[in-house]
Amino acid sequence: MIARTFFFVLFVATGYAFATPQKTAFNVKETTLRMSGGSTAASPPPDVKPPPLLYEGAVAAGAAKAAAPFSKIFKLGVVAGCHIAFGAYLAISIGGNCPGLAQTNPGLQKIVLGAFGLPFGLIMTLISGAELFTGNTALVTAAWAEGKTSRKDLIKNWTASYIGNFVGSLILAYLAFKSGTLGDAPGAVKIATAKCSAPWDTTFVRGILCNWLVCMAVYMASGCTSMIGKMTAVWFPISAFVALGLDHSIANMFIIPLGMLRGAEITVGQMFTKNLIPVTLGNIVGGALCVMAPFGSTMGKWFKKKE
C-alpha cells in the first residue's frame, strides 16, 4: 500500500513538473510583445549581451576604470594581485604537486593544473571589481581608442594597476611561504625556474597567447548577467592558458618570488629580464591588439579616419 502511494505521488508530481502551462491572455500578449520587439516589465534581461552591446559595455567599463584616481586603482590593484596569487597558490598546491601524474599522464596533469586555481582567482577579481592590469590592457585601451579617455589616464591606469598587482602578489607569496602548506613539495621551485629559463622571444609570445585568452575571458564575462555565466566565461579560457603553459605577468609576480623564497636560484634581475618584462609586453599585445583591435575595428571606431 505504501509503495503504491509513493509511486502514485511520484507519477502525479512528475506529470505536474512536465505539464505544459496553459496560455492565458497575458501570456499571449507578452509573447506577442517579445516577438514584435517590444518588452514587458516582467521580461528578464538576456543572459549574454549581443556582440555590439558587449563591445559598448567593455568600452564603458574601460572609461570608468581610467577615470578612477590613482590611489583607488592602486588599492584595487593590490586586491587583484592577491586574488590572482590565491589562484596560482591553489594551482601549485594541487596540479603542481602531482609528479607521478606528470610522468604517467602529462596531459591530465596539465588539465588539473589549469582547472584548479587561476579560474577562481579571476572570478574573485571580476566579481569584486578589483583592478587587474592584464584585463585593463584590453578594456582601458578600447576606451582610449574610442576617445572616451585620455592617453594620460590610460598610462595612469596601467601603471597603478600593475604596481598594485605586484604588491598584492608579493604579499601573498610571502604569506604562502610562511604558511608552510606546501611542505617539501618541489612544485613552486620547478615552475619558477622553468619560467625564467625560456628564450626572451619565446616568453614574449607566451605572454601574447596568454593574455589573448585572459582578455577574452574578461570580455565575455563582462557581457554575462548571471554568476554562472561569468564563471563559465572565465573557467574555459583561463584553465586553457594554464594547461597550455602560457605566461601571465601577474600570476608570475607570485609564482617566481614564491619559488625564490623556497630556494630557486633566480635573482631579482633575472625575474624581470627573463620573464616579467617580455611577458608584460606580450600581455599588452595580446590584450590590446589580439582581443580588442578586431572588435574595435568592426564594432567601434578603431583605425577609422575622422570625417
Side-chain angles (χ1 to χ4, degrees), residues 185-206:
V189 173
K190 183 178 179 180
I191 295 173
T193 302
K195 287 186 174 295
C196 292
S197 300
W200 201 96
D201 57 338
T202 299
T203 306
F204 173 72
V205 172
R206 289 177 181 175

mmCIF file of all heavy atoms in Angstrom, residues 185-206:
data_model
loop_
_atom_site.group_PDB
_atom_site.id
_atom_site.type_symbol
_atom_site.label_atom_id
_atom_site.label_comp_id
_atom_site.label_asym_id
_atom_site.label_seq_id
_atom_site.Cartn_x
_atom_site.Cartn_y
_atom_site.Cartn_z
ATOM 1 N N ALA A 185 57.250 19.899 -1.064
ATOM 2 C CA ALA A 185 56.968 19.677 -2.488
ATOM 3 C C ALA A 185 57.798 20.627 -3.350
ATOM 4 O O ALA A 185 57.897 21.824 -3.047
ATOM 5 C CB ALA A 185 55.487 19.872 -2.765
ATOM 6 N N PRO A 186 58.385 20.145 -4.433
ATOM 7 C CA PRO A 186 59.266 20.974 -5.270
ATOM 8 C C PRO A 186 58.542 21.761 -6.354
ATOM 9 O O PRO A 186 59.184 22.399 -7.175
ATOM 10 C CB PRO A 186 60.199 19.925 -5.888
ATOM 11 C CG PRO A 186 59.316 18.721 -6.046
ATOM 12 C CD PRO A 186 58.390 18.730 -4.851
ATOM 13 N N GLY A 187 57.214 21.699 -6.376
ATOM 14 C CA GLY A 187 56.467 22.297 -7.475
ATOM 15 C C GLY A 187 56.758 23.770 -7.699
ATOM 16 O O GLY A 187 57.003 24.209 -8.831
ATOM 17 N N ALA A 188 56.759 24.581 -6.627
ATOM 18 C CA ALA A 188 56.960 26.022 -6.771
ATOM 19 C C ALA A 188 58.334 26.344 -7.351
ATOM 20 O O ALA A 188 58.462 27.195 -8.239
ATOM 21 C CB ALA A 188 56.789 26.704 -5.412
ATOM 22 N N VAL A 189 59.367 25.671 -6.866
ATOM 23 C CA VAL A 189 60.727 25.904 -7.349
ATOM 24 C C VAL A 189 60.855 25.485 -8.812
ATOM 25 O O VAL A 189 61.449 26.207 -9.636
ATOM 26 C CB VAL A 189 61.747 25.139 -6.488
ATOM 27 C CG1 VAL A 189 63.153 25.248 -7.086
ATOM 28 C CG2 VAL A 189 61.739 25.667 -5.064
ATOM 29 N N LYS A 190 60.300 24.354 -9.141
ATOM 30 C CA LYS A 190 60.389 23.831 -10.508
ATOM 31 C C LYS A 190 59.695 24.753 -11.502
ATOM 32 O O LYS A 190 60.230 25.060 -12.581
ATOM 33 C CB LYS A 190 59.777 22.429 -10.561
ATOM 34 C CG LYS A 190 59.886 21.763 -11.910
ATOM 35 C CD LYS A 190 59.303 20.355 -11.878
ATOM 36 C CE LYS A 190 59.401 19.688 -13.249
ATOM 37 N NZ LYS A 190 58.834 18.304 -13.226
ATOM 38 N N ILE A 191 58.496 25.204 -11.158
ATOM 39 C CA ILE A 191 57.739 26.068 -12.062
ATOM 40 C C ILE A 191 58.429 27.420 -12.226
ATOM 41 O O ILE A 191 58.555 27.941 -13.340
ATOM 42 C CB ILE A 191 56.296 26.254 -11.542
ATOM 43 C CG1 ILE A 191 55.546 24.918 -11.576
ATOM 44 C CG2 ILE A 191 55.552 27.286 -12.376
ATOM 45 C CD1 ILE A 191 54.184 24.970 -10.928
ATOM 46 N N ALA A 192 58.902 28.003 -11.115
ATOM 47 C CA ALA A 192 59.572 29.302 -11.177
ATOM 48 C C ALA A 192 60.843 29.235 -12.014
ATOM 49 O O ALA A 192 61.122 30.127 -12.825
ATOM 50 C CB ALA A 192 59.891 29.786 -9.759
ATOM 51 N N THR A 193 61.614 28.170 -11.836
ATOM 52 C CA THR A 193 62.856 28.007 -12.600
ATOM 53 C C THR A 193 62.581 27.871 -14.087
ATOM 54 O O THR A 193 63.268 28.467 -14.932
ATOM 55 C CB THR A 193 63.623 26.773 -12.096
ATOM 56 O OG1 THR A 193 63.894 26.922 -10.696
ATOM 57 C CG2 THR A 193 64.934 26.606 -12.843
ATOM 58 N N ALA A 194 61.541 27.107 -14.417
ATOM 59 C CA ALA A 194 61.189 26.919 -15.822
ATOM 60 C C ALA A 194 60.762 28.229 -16.471
ATOM 61 O O ALA A 194 61.074 28.492 -17.639
ATOM 62 C CB ALA A 194 60.067 25.887 -15.937
ATOM 63 N N LYS A 195 60.055 29.073 -15.723
ATOM 64 C CA LYS A 195 59.567 30.334 -16.276
ATOM 65 C C LYS A 195 60.703 31.326 -16.543
ATOM 66 O O LYS A 195 60.525 32.259 -17.337
ATOM 67 C CB LYS A 195 58.520 30.953 -15.338
ATOM 68 C CG LYS A 195 57.186 30.211 -15.369
ATOM 69 C CD LYS A 195 56.121 30.907 -14.566
ATOM 70 C CE LYS A 195 54.773 30.223 -14.751
ATOM 71 N NZ LYS A 195 54.263 30.323 -16.137
ATOM 72 N N CYS A 196 61.826 31.151 -15.907
ATOM 73 C CA CYS A 196 62.974 32.047 -16.124
ATOM 74 C C CYS A 196 64.062 31.398 -16.973
ATOM 75 O O CYS A 196 65.198 31.887 -17.008
ATOM 76 C CB CYS A 196 63.551 32.486 -14.783
ATOM 77 S SG CYS A 196 62.470 33.570 -13.835
ATOM 78 N N SER A 197 63.724 30.309 -17.643
ATOM 79 C CA SER A 197 64.718 29.577 -18.435
ATOM 80 C C SER A 197 64.477 29.635 -19.935
ATOM 81 O O SER A 197 65.354 29.289 -20.717
ATOM 82 C CB SER A 197 64.746 28.104 -17.988
ATOM 83 O OG SER A 197 65.082 27.995 -16.617
ATOM 84 N N ALA A 198 63.302 30.063 -20.352
ATOM 85 C CA ALA A 198 62.985 30.095 -21.785
ATOM 86 C C ALA A 198 63.604 31.309 -22.453
ATOM 87 O O ALA A 198 63.868 32.329 -21.805
ATOM 88 C CB ALA A 198 61.470 30.102 -21.974
ATOM 89 N N PRO A 199 63.874 31.266 -23.773
ATOM 90 C CA PRO A 199 64.404 32.427 -24.503
ATOM 91 C C PRO A 199 63.430 33.599 -24.444
ATOM 92 O O PRO A 199 62.221 33.419 -24.277
ATOM 93 C CB PRO A 199 64.552 31.897 -25.937
ATOM 94 C CG PRO A 199 64.630 30.415 -25.791
ATOM 95 C CD PRO A 199 63.773 30.064 -24.625
ATOM 96 N N TRP A 200 63.959 34.819 -24.601
ATOM 97 C CA TRP A 200 63.168 36.041 -24.490
ATOM 98 C C TRP A 200 61.992 36.048 -25.461
ATOM 99 O O TRP A 200 60.861 36.364 -25.081
ATOM 100 C CB TRP A 200 64.066 37.246 -24.754
ATOM 101 C CG TRP A 200 63.555 38.553 -24.214
ATOM 102 C CD1 TRP A 200 63.892 39.118 -23.032
ATOM 103 C CD2 TRP A 200 62.638 39.455 -24.851
ATOM 104 N NE1 TRP A 200 63.235 40.326 -22.872
ATOM 105 C CE2 TRP A 200 62.461 40.561 -23.980
ATOM 106 C CE3 TRP A 200 61.948 39.442 -26.063
ATOM 107 C CZ2 TRP A 200 61.620 41.633 -24.280
ATOM 108 C CZ3 TRP A 200 61.099 40.505 -26.366
ATOM 109 C CH2 TRP A 200 60.949 41.590 -25.488
ATOM 110 N N ASP A 201 62.257 35.691 -26.727
ATOM 111 C CA ASP A 201 61.186 35.745 -27.720
ATOM 112 C C ASP A 201 60.104 34.701 -27.443
ATOM 113 O O ASP A 201 58.909 34.943 -27.674
ATOM 114 C CB ASP A 201 61.739 35.572 -29.136
ATOM 115 C CG ASP A 201 62.508 34.281 -29.320
ATOM 116 O OD1 ASP A 201 62.975 33.717 -28.306
ATOM 117 O OD2 ASP A 201 62.643 33.821 -30.476
ATOM 118 N N THR A 202 60.504 33.542 -26.930
ATOM 119 C CA THR A 202 59.525 32.511 -26.581
ATOM 120 C C THR A 202 58.620 32.987 -25.456
ATOM 121 O O THR A 202 57.389 32.824 -25.505
ATOM 122 C CB THR A 202 60.244 31.215 -26.147
ATOM 123 O OG1 THR A 202 61.039 30.732 -27.236
ATOM 124 C CG2 THR A 202 59.249 30.144 -25.729
ATOM 125 N N THR A 203 59.225 33.599 -24.452
ATOM 126 C CA THR A 203 58.452 34.109 -23.316
ATOM 127 C C THR A 203 57.515 35.222 -23.761
ATOM 128 O O THR A 203 56.370 35.316 -23.291
ATOM 129 C CB THR A 203 59.404 34.627 -22.220
ATOM 130 O OG1 THR A 203 60.330 33.591 -21.869
ATOM 131 C CG2 THR A 203 58.641 35.031 -20.982
ATOM 132 N N PHE A 204 57.988 36.081 -24.671
ATOM 133 C CA PHE A 204 57.157 37.166 -25.207
ATOM 134 C C PHE A 204 55.914 36.615 -25.904
ATOM 135 O O PHE A 204 54.788 37.087 -25.683
ATOM 136 C CB PHE A 204 57.990 38.010 -26.172
ATOM 137 C CG PHE A 204 57.212 39.051 -26.921
ATOM 138 C CD1 PHE A 204 56.740 40.189 -26.281
ATOM 139 C CD2 PHE A 204 56.956 38.900 -28.283
ATOM 140 C CE1 PHE A 204 56.025 41.160 -26.977
ATOM 141 C CE2 PHE A 204 56.247 39.850 -28.988
ATOM 142 C CZ PHE A 204 55.771 40.983 -28.337
ATOM 143 N N VAL A 205 56.104 35.606 -26.746
ATOM 144 C CA VAL A 205 54.983 35.004 -27.471
ATOM 145 C C VAL A 205 54.023 34.317 -26.507
ATOM 146 O O VAL A 205 52.790 34.387 -26.667
ATOM 147 C CB VAL A 205 55.492 34.012 -28.531
ATOM 148 C CG1 VAL A 205 54.328 33.232 -29.142
ATOM 149 C CG2 VAL A 205 56.263 34.747 -29.621
ATOM 150 N N ARG A 206 54.554 33.668 -25.495
ATOM 151 C CA ARG A 206 53.690 33.041 -24.486
ATOM 152 C C ARG A 206 52.844 34.094 -23.770
ATOM 153 O O ARG A 206 51.700 33.831 -23.395
ATOM 154 C CB ARG A 206 54.537 32.265 -23.473
ATOM 155 C CG ARG A 206 55.157 30.985 -24.034
ATOM 156 C CD ARG A 206 56.036 30.305 -22.989
ATOM 157 N NE ARG A 206 56.653 29.097 -23.522
ATOM 158 C CZ ARG A 206 57.546 28.353 -22.867
ATOM 159 N NH1 ARG A 206 57.918 28.719 -21.628
ATOM 160 N NH2 ARG A 206 58.059 27.273 -23.422
#
